[in-house]
Amino acid sequence: MSLVVMKFGGTSVEDPAAIGRTAAIVAGRVSMGKQPVVVVSAMAKVTDQLLRAAAAAAQGDRTGALAISSRLRSRHLDTACHLVKAPADIAALTRNIDEKFNALDEVLRGLAAILELTPRISDLIVSYGERISSRIVAAAFREQGIDAAHVDAREVIVTDSQFQKAIPQDAIIERRAHEKLLPLTAQGKVPVMGGFIASNEAGLTTTLGRGGSDFTGALVGGAVSAEAIEIWTDVDGIMTADPRICPDALRVKVISFEEAAELAYFGAKVLHPATILPAVKKNIPVLVLNSRNASCEGTRIISLAPHCNSPFKSISVKKKLSIIDVVASRMLMTHGYLRQIFEIFDKYQCPVDMVSTSEVSVSLTVDSNEKLPAIVSDLKNLADVKLEGKKALVCLVGEDIRGQQGIAAQVFNAVRHVNVRMISQGASEINMSFMIEEDDADEALRSLHAAFFKSPDPAIFDVEARKQL
Ligand code: ASP
Ligand code: MG
């Protein structure tokens, strides 16, 4: 059996045209003899709007919350009516959408009375995005002649009870996938399910965290031992740099799991790093593909990347960062000092990107956020603190920097005109990152790209596209 998990993100199901392209892509895979299992996100921006409705209701703004829900209802009904024409099918689909929005409105009204939004209720509210989009997509597929069967993702993806960031229970998911999905694919049907949503063992709705549909795709792929997991999005794949800043950026044809995870972590938002873990464990390749440019072969993420003659695969830049310098002579000869510092970040649930320490100082970098003044004021109880905003992190990723001599010199030579504030070479040995002023970031990226992608390896990078420029 050649099972392929095909995950389509919000932009691939955002409107009737996008859903039409998605149907054509899936039909293409079926005609190649593949057996797809389809995972879809909510229509673009729907999750954000559902969260806004929830927040409004929780503040007592019942009218505002219901107005958001009503606009979403129209958008989904319009999309359904565009795509599904068979009278019995569209009647059943619109009934289903109306029932779901009626239930959602019920929850929003309750919330506006109770005025307390718990993580559990938040998950229930956002789940409607994927519950409804997956119904519409399944019906649209049937209209296009694909033998699609809707599956409620909550019956397959079982998690613990950490609402909003629930942890999947692999063994149960594997069993459920075998019970609920494989009998369908065995009959030649195409299961269509929502990503992101799940349920705990008691059957309450949970979610895997924002952007979690990729994770669902990988979980399903792992559970059914798919031959590949395809993540369909709106970019051609992982690029050597952001093409908006670096017009001669190249598509990376193949990259290792470790490199891709490193890039995702550093803000190249093509996929969620945790996403790929279930696939890594089972050695299943993940492909990042563009639903607006389906003939492009995308980026293949595999467990061991082939050797590449350039040290780096990709350079990413993460902006809007701040550096916090904590300076205290007290750090000298004491232990537990770093723990105290990190406890403060923990208290404010503020992730730290990069840390560097010397005998008397610790520098940390964080996303600039509204909690920083409070964090700084707590830190001041420990030491002298300096906060500097408008910083950017440049991160170069590549397996081939492992053990290479002279790489750091080449990197810093390429950006010798830029003032470097902090440097780190991660323990993973496949990334080198440094902190600079945000205003220097684009220039630094272009210089580094010019230095390291002068004669890119055609086995790894899509050099053909550059020739056509
Ligand atoms: N719809 C969810 C979100 O926007 C999950 C996803 O699209 O991956 O976060
Ligand atoms: Mg996404």
Side-chain angles (χ1 to χ4, degrees):
M1 268 204 312
S2 44
L3 277 165
V4 206
V5 173
M6 304 177 75
K7 180 264 167 174
F8 292 90
T11 53
S12 303
V13 295
E14 67 186 346
D15 56 23
I19 296 174
R21 284 193 296 271
T22 293
I25 291 167
V26 173
R29 286 290 184 271
V30 173
S31 68
M32 284 162 66
K34 307 273 181 205
Q35 291 183 302
V37 174
V38 174
V39 174
V40 294
S41 287
M43 294 172 75
K45 306 267 178 318
V46 168
T47 307
D48 290 335
Q49 283 156 4
L50 288 167
L51 286 170
R52 280 224 304 283
Q59 281 161 20
D61 180 8
R62 184 168 174 269
T63 320
L66 292 174
I68 296 174
S69 164
S70 148
R71 282 196 296 276
L72 286 173
R73 187 192 296 243
S74 308
R75 177 174 169 201
H76 285 89
L77 286 171
D78 284 352
T79 306
C81 293
H82 257 92
L83 289 162
V84 181
K85 301 289 175 203
D89 292 346
I90 187 64
L93 181 60
T94 51
R95 203 178 325 115
N96 189 287
I97 296 172
D98 272 323
E99 277 165 16
K100 293 233 165 53
F101 276 103
N102 293 344
L104 171 64
D105 289 352
E106 213 42 27
V107 178
L108 292 172
R109 281 192 206 98
L111 188 54
I114 299 167
L115 302 177
E116 191 197 345
L117 180 57
T118 60
R120 173 174 155 187
I121 297 298
S122 175
D123 274 357
L124 177 64
I125 290 172
V126 287
S127 75
Y128 284 99
E130 271 76 6
R131 283 159 69 188
I132 300 169
S133 69
S134 57
R135 288 273 176 192
I136 296 175
V137 169
F141 280 11
R142 280 194 296 274
E143 180 85 17
Q144 298 300 314
I146 300 168
D147 192 3
H150 180 264
V151 172
D152 189 332
R154 296 170 300 170
E155 293 178 8
V156 178
I157 308 298
V158 177
T159 64
D160 68 3
S161 301
Q162 285 182 59
F163 296 97
Q164 295 183 315
K165 209 154 190 55
I167 309 290
Q169 311 287 296
D170 293 341
I172 308 178
I173 294 171
E174 188 162 331
R175 198 172 68 233
R176 297 282 185 95
H178 282 251
E179 283 165 14
K180 310 256 175 209
L181 301 173
L182 294 186
L184 295 171
T185 55
Q187 293 169 49
K189 290 189 187 296
V190 175
V192 176
M193 57 192 272
F196 174 58
I197 59 173
S199 69
N200 67 6
E201 281 183 78
L204 294 172
T205 301
T206 59
T207 65
L208 302 174
R210 292 305 306 270
S213 292
D214 295 342
F215 199 9
T216 306
L219 288 168
V220 172
V224 301
S225 300
E227 67 168 25
I229 296 161
E230 299 180 349
I231 306 285
W232 289 87
T233 153
D234 56 359
V235 293
D236 280 345
I238 294 175
M239 305 292 287
T240 51
D242 182 342
R244 286 166 304 182
I245 302 170
C246 221
D248 58 348
L250 299 160
R251 176 170 56 88
V252 183
K253 294 202 270 192
V254 56
I255 194 166
S256 73
F257 281 119
E258 246 192 292
E259 291 167 332
E262 203 81 40
L263 281 171
Y265 177 72
F266 282 101
K269 295 245 158 20
V270 181
L271 43 77
H272 195 284
T275 300
I276 41 189
L277 277 175
V280 180
K281 282 195 208 146
K282 290 214 168 178
N283 218 354
I284 302 170
V286 175
L287 284 114
V288 178
L289 296 157
N290 188 351
S291 65
R292 293 189 182 146
N293 182 18
S295 62
C296 175
E297 39 168 276
T299 298
R300 194 176 175 81
I301 307 174
I302 57 179
S303 51
L304 281 181
H307 174 74
C308 171
N309 68 13
S310 42
F312 300 114
K313 298 281 172 28
S314 181
I315 311 172
S316 66
V317 171
K318 190 173 176 188
K319 295 184 183 168
K320 297 201 182 75
L321 298 178
S322 296
I323 295 186
I324 304 174
D325 289 319
V326 186
V327 184
S329 44
R330 228 186 306 161
M331 188 169 160
L332 214 56
M333 319 274 270
T334 59
H335 64 88
Y337 181 68
L338 285 175
R339 181 178 50 80
Q340 289 180 327
I341 292 179
F342 279 101
E343 266 169 8
I344 293 172
F345 286 90
D346 190 42
K347 172 175 158 198
Y348 291 96
Q349 297 188 355
C350 174
V352 173
D353 272 327
M354 199 165 135
V355 186
S356 91
T357 66
S358 74
E359 202 56 50
V360 292
S361 73
V362 187
S363 299
L364 309 106
T365 71
V366 293
D367 281 335
S368 303
N369 65 61
E370 70 290 350
K371 296 172 197 154
L372 286 184
I375 293 175
V376 167
S377 114
D378 279 18
L379 286 170
K380 281 193 173 150
N381 297 328
L382 297 176
D384 293 334
V385 184
K386 199 168 88 212
L387 174 68
E388 277 180 55
K390 291 201 74 195
K391 298 285 179 283
L393 183 70
V394 178
C395 169
L396 300 103
V397 169
E399 294 245 13
D400 293 299
I401 57 175
R402 239 177 210 142
Q404 273 207 36
Q405 278 184 3
I407 279 291
Q410 286 176 45
V411 168
F412 293 112
N413 187 40
V415 291
R416 61 191 174 279
H417 44 287
V418 179
N419 181 25
V420 174
R421 236 338 224 96
M422 250 170 100
I423 303 174
S424 119
Q425 175 154 12
S428 65
E429 289 182 33
I430 67 164
N431 97 63
M432 265 185 65
S433 24
F434 56 90
M435 206 71 178
I436 57 178
E437 295 299 327
E438 203 171 74
D439 291 341
D440 293 335
D442 293 0
E443 182 52 36
L445 178 63
R446 285 191 283 264
S447 306
L448 287 164
H449 198 269
F452 288 102
F453 295 95
K454 224 178 289 158
S455 47
D457 188 337
I460 307 291
F461 305 103
D462 181 15
V463 290
E464 291 306 313
R466 185 182 276 182
K467 282 187 203 144
Q468 283 158 22
L469 278 182

